[in-house]
Amino acid sequence: MTESVVERIVVPAREGRAARVTRGQRFRVVDLEGSQVGDLFAFASVDVGEFASAEHTRVAISRLFPRVGENFVSNRRRSVLTLLDDRSPGHHDMLCAACDPTRYAGLGATGWHASCQENLQQAMLALGFQGVEVPQPINLFMNIPVHEDGSLGWEPARSQPGDYVELRAEMELIVVLSSCPQDMVPISGGGLSALVIELLDDLVEDLK
Amino acid sequence: MTESVVERIVVPAREGRAARVTRGQRFRVVDLEGSQVGDLFAFASVDVGEFASAEHTRVAISRLFPRVGENFVSNRRRSVLTLLDDRSPGHHDMLCAACDPTRYAGLGATGWHASCQENLQQAMLALGFQGVEVPQPINLFMNIPVHEDGSLGWEPARSQPGDYVELRAEMELIVVLSSCPQDMVPISGGGLSALVIELLDDLVEDLK
């Protein structure tokens, strides 16, 4: 079995995009240029009140973040996504809230600043969903070490150009990916850049 | 300055209770018999869509849990509570979702089992709030060590009889405390027992 990319959705720097993913479908989130944080959200298509939940996932797996083969679960404790592969240094975060206008104002931004919260809301609005919950995101490639004293580090992402994670949808999903616009805390080390969602299709190679 | 207890709200084992707390008011959560986990929630009285948020608090303080003198902030990044004092061994959690019927079913419970989620919902319903968000709780006295490899421990609470934390409300709040009914994972070590909310009033002692 190999795979081909059936759809390739570019998520430009500072922006967000949604994709509908069918149950069982695999997809990759690719860090094109490296060191770019991506905030991933996943909502059940049939009811966007159900979504991938960091705090329920931590209870389910007794870990801060799933290992390859483990699941992200929803706020109703159902399996949402499986982490199938991680071709990155393996630093990801589920502790830090999505950035929002208030966060940037607090950091000293004057005027409008793009944010993952707004990117999520706009992507969902374009699909007809108003006022969705903004869950704790799955912050891919985000490097937030937890020190022994309970303090958190804010380190640059260590992902290299072309690094990716591969996931499988365990229910019909709307996933939203935001190329995190955070440029006031150096979590995306090399400047902001684009991410890509690659929707994959399984192809059975040996039909004989 | 000393303080007197103006109201004492007993939260029986397995149950939840709400309290209205004015801005600037201090209160304590007391572990009467020791080793009992308490799930604390705090909602803005004027709009229960604003509540103490674990993921926004972690960003605000760059820590897994506030130290004495630090704040819990809301999902709108405003100060909700200040941790004034901690007369316990200092093990608290903001990583694990409130227990709910699905959690107990997953652990093998048959039939109804009390849960912190239901305790929260019932306490809020009694005040006229239907369908409130169930935020990640402030799990007082809950002892969940984060190991170096990112795995979580589920350890018994180490709080002793009479241990407490003292908090100050930074806005008008409805706080809900649930004496966690978790008896299938041994986080409340010595069996389930009652907690107490003590609302405090400042008294100026030396008026001369």
Side-chain angles (χ1 to χ4, degrees), chain A residues 103-162:
Chain A
R103 169 71 166 149
Y104 289 107
L107 290 168
T110 55
W112 178 80
H113 192 293
S115 67
C116 288
Q117 178 171 305
E118 208 172 275
N119 286 343
L120 168 66
Q121 289 166 334
Q122 287 182 348
M124 292 300 281
L125 196 60
L127 295 175
F129 298 104
Q130 205 158 11
V132 290
E133 175 77 18
V134 181
Q136 164 67 50
I138 300 167
N139 293 315
L140 296 171
F141 313 122
M142 186 163 167
N143 186 6
I144 305 290
V146 178
H147 302 123
E148 212 177 330
D149 67 349
S151 65
L152 306 178
W154 296 83
E155 302 289 334
R158 293 193 195 161
S159 39
Q160 298 298 308

